[in-house]
């Protein structure tokens, strides 16, 4: 006989969709279970209006409980279009597929299902203290929402992190049905406001009004009561509403809170839905996540032999899904927080940017959903017919890149005495042949003491210059159309370490050389302490950079990038965490910028005027007290004022105790901000792995170029293969003549099987 995870008596705290559905599923799986749900509100109390569920979630519900699925199916309003209204122009994108119903009706369906199964529903009843429930029941499910008292009662175990965001929003409703999911932007004298609206029945729509906190206050909403707020919102968005009024239901302005917990269970207590995690409403995931939590919890309790194993399996299954959703939600809510940044975009590009804001909708799947809309955006972007955005050319000073793909600088640790050898020729040459518009060298060091490791390449001797010239000549001769760029840098306090695969950032066991830096701070415990650079040494360093730049120019490099990121020497001056100087080169950001700008000016003066110069920066240190987003914009503006043609926007690696927020294209928002606030071209980098991502970021206007590292290690012909997979054969991806026979995907054996001709009943 199964023990069903040991959960015979179950208490559920909270009668929202997640808690009710968990109760129904657990009772359906084992009718002998005793399940009690406590809900502090009355059965017909609900504070939202409409709920949107995805086809994926509905499919899971259909398999788990056909009765609930059938009841939902009978109620759903379905539609495909999204309308985006910006500066009086409406653009419609179709093919999206939404299903919604009223939140009150959803709760009624779940109430009916729970009662029919024998679940004990207790409304207008506070649950007993959680510790009492844990002692009296086998399993306690805490589904008591974003303000969960259960979570707070054991905060020392769950270790919740709560982040409040910068917008105020209010849930309202209108007594008519929008014919699409509608986003409308209002530019008022006080700032930007937005409306999110969607139908949830044949005669009603949810309407969410959102704006930045400072706009909300300047507009006077802080001083209005509920009725006055509703009336004001109706007037601001009268066009979207067709002059019809809005209504509320105890609707209060609030700020969204992102909740993350280190743990989701404690003994026989488990968190579910908003008690465990939240995701911004702009991607419609709150109810979806709660229902999916309930499905997973019920399945794990059915599959695992003990309660402990079931709760562990539940968290292991759900945590990665939730983390992915929260990353998408953060991207979406951040986009709306910074909406004013994009108001100057062409209206179609603005609409495309909004649709792809969370990175879950991309250029390719949007093209499948609505090819006409995407084609119109591409025409507005001036893509030649049949040309994906990534294969449009881009000009920097006197250099025109054939496409928007950059092979990101990658340290290979394979030089001998700073001399790049055959390995570098093959490594860089192969990627130039592979179709990228720009191939960047690894960080090339300006002195022997400026190397990270003994295997790092340099450009401080004639022999090194000869070897680099060989690589540049090969690129220009054998990969016509490909440009090759030189990244110059100095390791600073991160030098004299082992090769990456022998112990990254670990000091050499012997043969160390002395280090210099902005301030005498070791990179991490056990690292060598550098000497603080004197004025005379700063002059010497500047001359080392200019001497290397002169050699690079004679080698024929098409572009030069100054490495001011990742905690290396020039980056060490920029960050307040690594620059503790009290002279003219430390203190305020203006002073911390002084030496990097002096080096930039000196290099720009000797670098050929027609060739572009870029700068790589760390736009955040991912550490408290470090470089901020505002600092990054100021740093970019400063380099632009001194003649930088673009900024290569990376992040982190400045301090060892950083806490990056990794995820797909996770550094792109920093490039996006710099591009829109400074007008300077940017190179986005960081976990951009697919050609679909590149097309999406370029077409949305979030970056001008995309730099990819690991994808080019996996596939030196990444760009050519991206062209082939998209059916593109134009000048942005010209196959080398000897390779042209490989420009079509090779045939493979059949993987499909003949379909059955007849289905015979029994």
């Amino acid at each position: 006989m199964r023990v069903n995870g040991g959960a015979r008596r179950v208490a559920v705290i909270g009668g929202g969709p997640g808690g009710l559905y968990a109760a129904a599923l657990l009772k359906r799986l084992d009718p002998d279970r005793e399940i009690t749900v406590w809900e502090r509100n009355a059965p017909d109390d609900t504070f939202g209006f409409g709920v949107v569920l995805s086809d994926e979630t509905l499919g899971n519900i259909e398999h788990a409980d056909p009765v609930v699925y059938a009841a939902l199916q009978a109620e759903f309003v379905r539609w495909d279009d999204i309308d985006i209204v910006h500066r009086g122009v409406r653009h419609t994108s179709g093919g999206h597929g939404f299903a919604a119903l009223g939140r009150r009706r959803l709760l009624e369906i779940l109430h009916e299902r729970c009662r029919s199964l024998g679940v004990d529903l207790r409304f207008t009843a506070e649950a007993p203290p959680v510790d009492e429930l844990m002692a009296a029941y086998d399993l306690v499910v805490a589904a008591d929402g974003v303000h969960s008292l259960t979570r707070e009662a054991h905060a020392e175990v769950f270790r919740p992190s709560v982040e409040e965001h910068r917008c105020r929003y209010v849930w309202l409703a209108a007594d008519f049905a929008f014919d699409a999911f509608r986003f409308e932007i209002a530019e008022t004298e006080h700032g930007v406001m937005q409306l999110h609206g969607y139908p949830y029945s044949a005669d009603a729509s949810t309407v969410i009004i959102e704006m930045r906190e400072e706009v909300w206050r300047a507009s006077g909403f802080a001083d209005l009561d509920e009725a006055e707020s509703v009336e004001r919102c109706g007037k601001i968005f009268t066009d979207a509403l067709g002059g019809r009024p809005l209504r509320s239901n105890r609707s209060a302005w609030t700020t969204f809170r992102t909740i993350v917990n280190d743990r989701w269970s404690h003994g026989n207590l488990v968190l579910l839905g908003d008690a465990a995690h939240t995701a911004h409403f702009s991607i419609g995931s709150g109810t979806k996540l709660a229902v999916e939590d309930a499905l997973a919890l019920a399945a794990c309790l059915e599959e695992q032999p003990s309660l402990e194993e079931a709760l562990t399996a539940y968290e292991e299954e759900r945590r990665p899904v939730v983390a992915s959703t929260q990353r998408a939600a953060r991207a979406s809510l951040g986009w709306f927080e910074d909406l004013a940044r994009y108001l100057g975009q062409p209206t179609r590009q603005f609409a495309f940017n909004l649709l792809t804001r969370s990175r879950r909708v991309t250029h390719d799947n949007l093209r499948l959903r609505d090819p006409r809309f995407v084609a119109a955006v591409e025409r507005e972007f001036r893509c030649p017919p049949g040309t994906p955005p990534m294969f449009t050319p881009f000009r920097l000073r006197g250099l025109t890149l054939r496409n928007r793909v950059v092979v990101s600088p990658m340290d290979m640790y394979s030089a001998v005495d700073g001399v790049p050898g055959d390995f570098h020729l093959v490594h860089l040459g192969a990627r130039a042949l592979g179709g990228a518009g720009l191939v960047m060298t690894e960080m090339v060091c300006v002195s022997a003491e400026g190397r990270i490791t003994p295997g790092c390449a340099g450009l401080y001797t004639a022999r090194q210059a000869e070897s680099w010239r060989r690589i540049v000549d090969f690129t220009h001769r054998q990969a016509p159309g490909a440009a090759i760029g030189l990244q110059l840098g100095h390791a600073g306090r991160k030098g004299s370490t082992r090769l990456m695969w022998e112990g990254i950032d670990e000091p050499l066991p012997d043969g160390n050389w002395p280090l210099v830096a902005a301030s005498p701070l070791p990179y991490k415990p056990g690292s060598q302490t550098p000497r603080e650079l004197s004025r005379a040494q700063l002059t010497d360093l500047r001359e080392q950079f200019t001497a290397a730049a002169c050699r690079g120019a004679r080698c024929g490099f098409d572009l030069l990038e100054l490495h001011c990121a990742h905690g290396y020497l020039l980056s060490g001056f920029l960050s307040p965490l690594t620059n503790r100087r009290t002279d003219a080169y430390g203190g305020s950001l203006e002073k911390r910028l002084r030496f990097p700008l002096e080096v930039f000016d000196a290099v720009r003066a000797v670098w050929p005027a027609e060739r572009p110069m870029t700068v790589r920066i760390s736009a955040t240190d991912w550490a408290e007290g470090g470089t901020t987003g505002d600092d990054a914009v100021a740093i970019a503006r400063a380099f632009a004022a001194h003649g930088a043609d673009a900024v290569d926007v990376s992040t982190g690696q400045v301090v060892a105790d950083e806490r990056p927020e990794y995820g797909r294209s996770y550094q792109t928002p920093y490039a996006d901000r710099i591009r829109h606030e400074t007008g300077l071209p940017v190179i986005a980098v960081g976990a951009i792995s697919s050609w679909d991502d590149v097309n999406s970021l370029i077409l949305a206007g979030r970056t001008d170029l995309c730099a990819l590292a690991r994808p080019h290690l996996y596939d030196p012909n990444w760009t050519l293969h991206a062209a082939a997979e998209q059916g593109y054969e134009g000048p942005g991806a010209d196959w080398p003549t000897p390779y042209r026979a490989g420009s079509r995907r090779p045939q493979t054996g059949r993987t499909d099987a003949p379909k059955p001709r007849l289905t015979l009943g029994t």
Side-chain angles (χ1 to χ4, degrees):
M1 176 176 165
R2 286 192 57 83
V3 295
N4 292 311
R8 309 298 299 173
R9 301 185 71 238
V10 180
V12 179
I13 306 172
L20 291 170
Y21 195 51
L25 287 173
L26 292 172
K27 188 69 171 175
R28 182 168 182 267
L29 288 169
D30 184 353
D32 292 332
R33 277 193 176 111
E34 177 189 329
I35 301 179
T36 306
V37 178
W38 280 270
E39 169 54 50
R40 65 172 61 184
N41 296 304
D44 57 351
D45 282 347
T46 181
F47 305 104
F49 297 97
V51 173
V52 179
L53 292 174
S54 69
D55 288 339
E56 178 186 23
T57 304
L58 290 174
N60 291 333
I61 292 173
E62 182 179 15
H63 286 293
D65 193 335
V67 173
V68 170
Y69 177 77
L72 294 175
Q73 280 286 85
E75 301 288 339
F76 273 131
V77 174
R78 292 185 176 273
W79 73 99
D80 291 321
D81 290 348
I82 298 176
D83 284 346
I84 297 153
V85 183
H86 173 42
R87 294 186 170 172
V89 179
R90 181 173 72 175
H91 291 293
T92 300
S93 172
H96 295 278
F98 295 100
L101 79 164
R103 181 178 175 87
R104 179 171 293 172
R105 183 59 188 135
L106 171 62
L107 292 175
E108 288 172 352
I109 290 170
L110 294 174
H111 293 161
E112 292 165 8
R113 184 59 171 152
C114 284
R115 289 191 183 100
S116 72
L117 292 167
V119 174
D120 181 5
L121 300 180
R122 301 184 182 182
F123 294 104
T124 62
E126 292 284 352
V130 65
D131 290 340
E132 291 182 16
L133 291 176
M134 292 171 70
Y137 287 81
D138 300 320
L139 174 65
V140 179
V141 179
D144 49 345
V146 64
H147 301 292
S148 172
L149 296 177
T150 312
R151 181 186 65 230
E152 296 308 313
H154 288 281
E156 76 285 354
V157 176
F158 297 124
R159 294 189 295 275
S161 169
V162 180
E163 180 184 0
E164 291 211 9
H165 297 284
R166 296 179 290 170
C167 281
R168 290 270 184 167
Y169 67 95
V170 63
W171 289 83
L172 304 170
D175 291 323
F176 72 95
F178 283 119
D179 56 7
F181 205 126
R182 188 179 181 102
F183 294 99
E184 181 144 344
I185 313 305
E187 296 177 59
T188 76
E189 61 181 316
H190 303 293
V192 184
M193 306 176 188
Q194 58 261 18
L195 174 149
H196 311 239
Y198 58 88
Y200 65 85
S201 72
D203 58 1
S205 297
T206 293
V207 177
I208 306 168
I209 309 298
E210 184 182 25
M211 65 196 74
R212 287 280 289 260
E213 172 81 18
E214 61 269 25
V215 176
W216 180 75
R217 293 194 178 280
S219 301
F221 280 107
D223 302 318
L224 303 180
D225 62 24
E226 184 177 347
E228 292 168 332
S229 278
V230 172
E231 183 181 4
R232 173 79 65 83
C233 289
K235 289 179 179 177
I236 292 170
F237 290 99
T238 186
D239 289 344
L241 300 169
R244 288 164 287 200
L246 291 166
R247 59 181 168 86
S248 64
N249 177 18
R250 296 185 231 177
S251 303
W253 290 95
T254 188
T255 56
F256 189 81
R257 308 200 308 166
T258 295
I259 293 173
V260 177
N261 284 277
D262 285 353
R263 290 185 58 183
W264 293 1
S265 65
H266 168 47
N268 63 339
L269 170 64
V270 64
L271 303 179
L272 183 147
D274 283 353
H277 46 69
T278 58
H280 193 248
F281 58 81
S282 61
I283 64 168
S285 291
T287 301
K288 174 183 184 297
L289 287 176
V291 167
E292 290 175 350
D293 281 356
L295 285 160
L297 178 61
C300 291
L301 286 165
E302 187 72 6
E303 295 161 357
Q304 300 298 324
S306 71
L307 179 63
E308 180 181 4
E309 290 167 292
L311 297 186
T312 298
Y314 159 70
E315 185 167 346
E316 288 177 350
E317 176 182 334
R318 292 297 296 156
R319 186 175 285 279
V321 176
V322 168
S324 176
T325 302
Q326 287 187 315
R327 285 193 296 269
R330 281 176 177 272
S332 181
L333 78 84
W335 195 93
F336 282 110
E337 285 181 338
D338 296 320
L339 175 61
R341 179 183 300 163
Y342 307 110
L343 294 177
Q345 287 189 309
T347 55
R348 284 192 179 87
Q349 185 180 55
F350 177 88
F352 180 87
N353 196 355
L354 186 153
L355 291 170
T356 59
R357 68 195 180 278
S358 73
R359 301 189 282 274
R360 291 213 157 171
V361 175
T362 64
H363 172 268
D364 195 46
N365 62 40
L366 190 54
R367 185 165 54 86
L368 291 174
R369 299 178 191 198
D370 192 343
R372 184 176 299 179
F373 171 77
V374 173
V377 180
E378 290 176 344
R379 284 195 300 273
E380 186 178 76
F381 189 74
R382 298 184 180 176
C383 294
T387 302
M390 66 184 291
F391 292 114
T392 56
F394 189 73
R395 187 175 181 85
L396 287 171
R397 204 169 282 234
L399 175 66
T400 298
L401 301 175
R402 61 182 172 181
N403 60 53
R404 307 299 186 97
V405 179
V406 179
V407 176
S408 195
M410 293 176 279
D411 289 315
M412 293 289 106
Y413 309 108
S414 299
V416 178
D417 295 328
V419 178
D422 290 346
F423 176 89
H424 295 81
L425 174 68
V426 174
H427 167 67
L428 295 169
R431 282 143 189 86
L433 289 169
L438 174 63
V439 177
M440 292 297 301
T441 68
E442 62 195 84
M443 184 177 86
V444 176
C445 304
V446 298
S447 68
E449 295 76 18
R451 293 175 298 163
I452 309 167
T453 75
C456 289
L459 195 46
Y460 47 88
T461 70
R463 187 177 169 211
Q464 293 163 355
E466 289 172 7
S467 293
W468 282 119
R469 181 60 186 249
R470 176 182 175 225
I471 294 168
V472 172
D473 286 348
F474 175 90
T475 299
H476 290 156
R477 183 175 63 254
Q478 300 295 342
I484 183 166
L486 166 67
Q487 187 188 70
L488 282 183
H490 186 294
R493 70 178 189 149
K494 295 178 75 176
S496 193
T497 61
R498 306 180 192 196
L499 304 183
M500 180 179 68
W501 46 85
E502 295 176 353
I504 189 167
D505 296 325
E506 292 297 324
L508 290 169
D510 52 64
N512 286 278
W513 54 85
L515 302 181
V516 294
S519 297
L521 303 170
Y523 177 62
K524 64 179 188 178
S527 295
Q528 183 185 155
T529 300
R531 297 194 312 274
E532 181 171 299
L533 285 158
S534 67
R535 291 290 189 99
Q537 288 174 313
L538 293 177
T539 300
D540 291 343
L541 271 168
R542 200 163 55 239
E543 291 175 355
Q544 289 172 0
F545 273 94
T546 56
C550 289
R551 292 188 183 97
R554 290 193 294 271
C555 289
F557 283 104
D558 300 296
L559 173 148
L560 187 147
E561 179 166 282
L562 192 63
H563 201 334
C564 297
H566 300 168
Y568 298 123
L569 188 129
L570 296 179
S571 170
F573 276 87
L574 293 173
S575 172
L577 296 178
T578 52
N579 184 342
R580 305 290 177 80
R581 300 174 73 100
T582 58
D583 62 2
Y585 294 96
S588 67
L589 178 58
E590 182 181 8
K591 290 182 177 180
R592 300 198 306 273
L593 269 161
R594 183 175 176 181
F595 183 62
L597 289 174
E598 285 180 359
V599 173
F600 182 92
D601 290 342
V603 172
R604 180 71 267 184
V606 301
W607 186 246
E610 72 280 4
R611 301 187 207 175
M613 266 189 70
T614 63
V615 179
R616 173 168 276 205
I617 67 169
S618 285
T620 176
D621 294 340
W622 299 114
E624 187 176 352
T627 298
T628 66
D630 289 342
D631 292 339
V633 171
I635 290 167
R637 281 201 176 105
F639 279 111
H642 284 247
D645 298 292
V647 177
D648 186 355
V649 186
S650 188
T651 65
Q653 301 179 54
V654 175
V655 292
D657 59 347
E658 65 177 3
R659 299 188 67 182
E661 297 175 5
Y662 292 119
R664 183 163 135 251
S665 58
Y666 70 106
Q667 296 176 151
T668 300
Y670 295 93
D672 184 0
R673 178 179 179 183
I674 288 171
R675 184 180 190 272
H676 282 91
E677 293 192 20
T678 69
L680 190 66
V682 296
I683 305 168
V685 63
I688 302 170
S689 55
S690 72
W691 50 259
D692 193 17
D693 285 339
V694 175
N695 282 327
S696 301
L697 295 171
I698 297 294
L699 193 58
R702 295 178 199 151
T703 188
D704 299 284
L705 300 167
C706 288
L708 299 92
R710 288 181 178 86
H712 281 113
L713 295 179
Y714 180 77
D715 180 6
N717 297 311
W718 186 89
T719 307
L720 293 179
H721 291 158
E725 289 167 11
Q726 296 175 80
Y728 173 71
E729 298 180 349
D734 190 19
W735 284 74
T737 302
Y739 285 4
R740 283 182 184 164
S743 61
R744 293 286 185 274
R745 184 188 290 274
Q747 293 181 350
T748 60
R750 284 188 63 177
T751 57
D752 59 327
K755 295 180 180 178
R757 300 293 293 163
L758 295 172
T759 301
L760 302 177
T762 57

